[in-house]
Amino acid sequence: RNPMRSERCCSLSRYIMSLPPSAANTHANQWFERTLDDSAIRRIILPEGFLAVDVVLNLLMNIADGMVVWPNVVHKHVMEELPFMATEVILMECVKAGGDRQELHEAIRVHSMDAGKVVKGEGKSNDLLERIAKDPLFKAVHSMLDTLVDPKLFIGRAKEQTDEFLAEEIDPVLQKEEGLLGKEVVDGVNV
């Protein structure tokens, strides 16, 4: 059920994004001189835009209702892609230890491409770190490969920014509209 509804959200969102150019074209021609050539556009895009946004928001509430996040599954997927993201860190650590940047870059590119073929072409697990661990060019990082692919090294201030956003932007709105949160939604979603 979620893929169909998610696709509908995307489709309606594309439609909503297509509406502002109509208003902009009208504005470009009349410069808000109050001529009558904008009345049809206003009568069409304003209500249709609001109705489409309402449908998208209802669909998103329906899709997210009862959502369960499985942290171990998320971690597994992150760890499958993280070796590709960590190649720059691995490369720079080897360069700091005296390695030739060009030579290391070419080697890590080849290893990444080969590991990508294994993942995409054969459906196997990402073996990039094993390839790097076996390559003597990367000897400088062999003992620290596990620490170089710690997911926490790749999130920057994401946690703090999220906490700040929730505290400064979302929590005040939730407190202000607390009375609306308990109301039952009567809009139905079929399909």
Side-chain angles (χ1 to χ4, degrees):
R1 109 186 171 180
N2 283 351
M4 289 173 61
R5 292 178 184 170
S6 297
E7 288 169 356
R8 191 177 311 150
C9 284
C10 289
S11 173
L12 287 169
S13 297
R14 279 193 301 275
Y15 170 71
I16 293 164
M17 290 186 299
S18 76
L19 297 177
S22 296
N25 289 335
T26 300
H27 171 65
N29 287 323
Q30 63 161 248
W31 298 8
F32 291 129
E33 292 288 334
R34 305 284 302 157
T35 60
L36 298 177
D37 66 333
D38 71 335
S39 62
I41 282 292
R42 286 183 191 209
R43 278 187 252 140
I44 294 170
I45 69 169
L46 291 176
E48 284 190 2
F50 279 105
L51 288 170
V53 168
D54 185 57
V55 171
V56 168
L57 292 174
N58 279 309
L59 285 167
L60 290 173
M61 285 188 332
N62 179 268
I63 291 167
D65 185 40
M67 182 184 295
V68 177
V69 176
W70 300 97
N72 290 334
V73 174
V74 172
H75 184 265
K76 177 182 178 268
H77 289 301
V78 167
M79 295 311 292
E80 287 172 358
E81 296 299 322
L82 198 58
F84 294 121
M85 295 168 48
T87 56
E88 185 68 22
V89 175
I90 293 168
L91 177 70
M92 295 316 294
E93 287 298 320
C94 288
V95 170
K96 284 182 197 174
D100 179 271
R101 188 181 194 300
Q102 291 301 108
E103 185 180 22
L104 289 162
H105 184 273
E106 179 58 20
I108 210 161
R109 186 188 71 75
V110 170
H111 287 315
S112 295
M113 296 298 287
D114 291 344
K117 287 177 187 171
V118 167
V119 171
K120 296 170 191 161
E122 301 174 28
K124 295 181 180 175
S125 296
N126 187 341
D127 65 349
L128 178 57
L129 294 180
E130 289 83 12
R131 292 170 185 273
I132 291 171
K134 292 175 186 173
D135 190 332
L137 275 176
F138 297 94
K139 185 178 181 185
V141 295
H142 284 171
S143 64
M144 63 173 117
L145 270 177
D146 288 341
T147 59
L148 295 178
V149 292
D150 180 355
K152 292 178 182 163
L153 297 175
F154 298 88
I155 62 171
R157 290 195 63 245
K159 182 185 181 318
E160 293 83 2
Q161 288 174 323
T162 301
D163 291 341
E164 290 167 12
F165 178 76
L166 291 172
E168 296 170 11
E169 304 293 333
I170 302 300
D171 290 343
V173 172
L174 291 176
Q175 289 169 2
K176 179 182 171 192
E177 305 297 342
E178 189 174 5
L180 296 174
L181 294 177
K183 291 190 176 184
E184 183 180 340
V185 176
V186 293
D187 293 337
V189 176
N190 299 318
V191 175

